[in-house]
């Protein structure tokens, strides 16, 4: 298994967060345009948004 330094790990987390944001936005657009699977897409949007929020907390945790 290869090792990843801290900067690379942060870059990967940022990339994953951007991907989750993009996926959530695509799902929201599909729901807004009345896609036949709108109910599923709405649920997916919530899930992708949650993933993005968690990754955001990893990158920038709130102080107590």
């Amino acid at each position: 298994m290869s090792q990843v330094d801290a900067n690379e790990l942060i870059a990967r987390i940022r990339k994953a967060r951007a991907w989750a944001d993009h996926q959530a936005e695509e799902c929201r657009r599909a729901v807004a345009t009345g896609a036949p699977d709108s109910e599923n897409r709405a649920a997916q949007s919530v899930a992708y948004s949650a993933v993005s929020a968690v990754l955001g907390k990893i990158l920038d945790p709130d102080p107590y």
Side-chain angles (χ1 to χ4, degrees):
M1 186 161 93
S2 64
Q3 297 211 353
V4 177
D5 69 6
N7 290 331
E8 176 66 17
L9 180 59
I10 289 171
R12 289 181 185 191
I13 293 171
R14 285 185 177 135
K15 185 176 180 180
R17 184 178 182 202
W19 177 83
D21 287 338
H22 177 75
Q23 294 299 314
E25 182 57 32
E26 280 190 358
C27 290
R28 282 191 290 272
R29 272 188 257 137
V31 170
T33 59
D37 60 345
S38 287
E39 188 174 316
N40 288 335
R41 300 291 288 213
Q44 289 172 342
S45 178
V46 171
Y48 285 125
S49 294
V51 168
S52 176
V54 169
L55 294 174
K57 290 290 185 183
I58 291 170
L59 292 171
D60 188 21
D62 289 338
Y64 291 100

